[in-house]
Amino acid sequence: MLPGTSPAVPVPGAAGGGVPSFGFLLRLNGRHDPARQYRDGLEVFAAAERAGLDSGWITSHHFAAPQGTIASPLLYLTAAAARTTRLRLGAAVVVLTLEDPIRVAEDAALLDSLSGGRLELGLGRGLEDWPFAAFGIDYDDRRAIYTRSLERLRAVLGGTELPGGRRLHPPAPTVADRIWEPAVDIADGERIGASGAGLLASRSKRLAPAAAEAAQRDLVDAYREAARRAGHRPRVALSRTVYVGATEASARAEFDGGLPPGPVDASQAVVGGPAEVADRLRADPLLSGADHLLVQAIPAKLPLEHWRRSLELVGREVGPALARSARAVSR
């Protein structure tokens, strides 16, 4: 281990019997003022750790976007690191096309050091076109820019010497092994698999549920095959909209009584009491092979307090129920 580095915390993965680790994916896009929402979001991280969840991820969007209001996920996760001790901290994602890759490496290295090696670094080129003009970057150039920036970031994290004889400090050689990327098509999935990065896989909201599930299955299969051909261990994190209440009836009443869906696709949401949600997740054909399940928490649909309670039930009841049934099957 290089001087100044923190030992990496082991990354939780699919447990014996095909049970993924449970985390959450937080979209801060609710109705309250930003300062209050940022503080409330940090409490969700702390509560999720107390409930036994394995990871907490924050989405990233520039300016005031319906999808989210966190422009600096690594900065926000640094605050989350100060309120947690075990929870892995995921960026989903840093829009690398709009960033200096050396500065991203520096921020990632500092966060990883402060958190004791808990960073999971999600990177993407950006899907929405509207932020690019504000940064003076042509949206049509995003693929080429991202490719160059990602190569530069990996080199800097790996300790390459920069002009003037400088190197990244603190050193963070293991962060490059915890890079994740989202994919929009099969070619993307194959590229990510060949690179050794993990795959952040979400279902398309533009497709009907059955078609979205089939598309995600094909994407994951292509990613896994490309990773194996390149000699890498595949790492897959699936996101699902899951809302758990005390009972099936109360969960459905709360979820259906929230604000209009917006970024929530109600037709793909898993809603119910702990037992019903566990049964429905157990029937999800992709989850048994995933390393991580990221439960989406979306305050534009319901207040953060509701999502916090739901995540507590996921950690304390749903996850253990799935683990128990997996152990029973494996006997």
Side-chain angles (χ1 to χ4, degrees), residues 32-51:
H32 302 302
D33 68 275
R36 175 183 171 184
Q37 191 174 66
Y38 297 153
R39 291 193 300 269
D40 290 349
L42 291 174
E43 176 52 31
V44 172
F45 276 79
E49 178 172 272
R50 292 193 297 269

Side-chain angles (χ1 to χ4, degrees), residues 307-329:
W307 291 107
R308 182 185 63 77
R309 294 199 304 265
S310 172
L311 290 172
E312 288 173 343
L313 289 170
V314 168
R316 291 172 178 160
E317 298 192 35
V318 176
L322 288 175
R324 286 193 299 271
S325 62
R327 287 195 296 269
V329 169

Side-chain angles (χ1 to χ4, degrees), residues 22-331:
F22 276 74
F24 68 92
L25 179 63
L26 181 60
R27 294 178 179 271
L28 284 182
N29 57 352
R31 295 161 283 175
H32 302 302
D33 68 275
R36 175 183 171 184
Q37 191 174 66
Y38 297 153
R39 291 193 300 269
D40 290 349
L42 291 174
E43 176 52 31
V44 172
F45 276 79
E49 178 172 272
R50 292 193 297 269
L53 293 180
D54 298 297
S55 64
W57 299 66
I58 187 75
T59 63
S60 171
H61 298 84
H62 285 281
F63 312 115
Q67 298 88 348
T69 58
I70 293 286
S72 303
L74 298 181
L75 177 61
Y76 193 80
L77 291 174
T78 301
R83 291 162 172 79
T84 56
T85 59
R86 176 191 56 79
L87 197 74
R88 300 202 65 77
L89 306 167
V93 297
V94 176
V95 182
L96 188 58
T97 316
L98 304 179
E99 304 283 353
D100 183 317
I102 297 176
R103 286 291 299 115
V104 172
E106 289 183 320
D107 287 347
L110 180 58
L111 167 54
D112 201 53
S113 178
L114 288 171
S115 67
R118 289 187 282 143
L119 172 62
E120 301 292 328
L121 181 58
L123 302 169
R125 59 177 174 260
L127 293 177
E128 297 100 355
D129 59 355
W130 52 268
F132 281 72
F135 285 86
I137 296 174
D138 191 329
Y139 181 72
D140 293 334
D141 295 336
R142 69 193 186 284
R143 287 181 179 269
I145 295 171
Y146 180 74
T147 298
R148 293 194 301 270
S149 295
L150 181 56
E151 182 180 2
R152 183 66 158 168
L153 175 66
R154 283 186 173 276
V156 174
L157 289 172
T160 192
E161 185 175 297
L162 299 169
R166 301 295 181 178
R167 298 181 191 274
L168 179 67
H169 185 80
T174 65
V175 170
D177 298 327
R178 288 174 267 138
I179 288 176
W180 298 76
E181 296 183 69
V184 297
D185 54 33
I186 295 294
D188 251 354
E190 292 174 337
R191 175 190 61 79
I192 295 167
S195 75
L199 177 67
L200 294 171
S202 59
R203 288 190 293 208
S204 172
K205 299 179 180 66
R206 297 186 297 272
L207 300 175
E213 181 178 303
Q216 188 177 59
R217 182 182 61 249
D218 292 344
L219 174 62
V220 170
D221 287 346
Y223 161 80
R224 288 187 181 280
E225 180 58 29
R228 292 189 181 106
R229 284 199 306 266
H232 301 302
R233 183 182 73 83
R235 294 176 288 127
V236 176
L238 299 179
S239 65
R240 296 286 187 266
T241 299
V242 175
Y243 185 73
V244 189
T247 65
E248 171 96 14
S250 65
R252 179 54 65 182
E254 291 168 354
F255 191 82
D256 292 346
L259 292 177
V264 180
D265 186 342
S267 67
Q268 297 184 15
V270 179
V271 180
E276 293 85 12
V277 168
D279 286 342
R280 289 162 193 164
L281 290 178
R282 193 178 294 114
D284 189 318
L286 284 176
L287 283 189
S288 63
D291 299 279
H292 311 282
L293 170 63
L294 305 183
V295 176
Q296 294 204 46
I298 308 171
K301 172 67 177 174
L302 288 168
L304 272 175
E305 175 65 17
H306 285 63
W307 291 107
R308 182 185 63 77
R309 294 199 304 265
S310 172
L311 290 172
E312 288 173 343
L313 289 170
V314 168
R316 291 172 178 160
E317 298 192 35
V318 176
L322 288 175
R324 286 193 299 271
S325 62
R327 287 195 296 269
V329 169
S330 66
R331 291 193 184 109

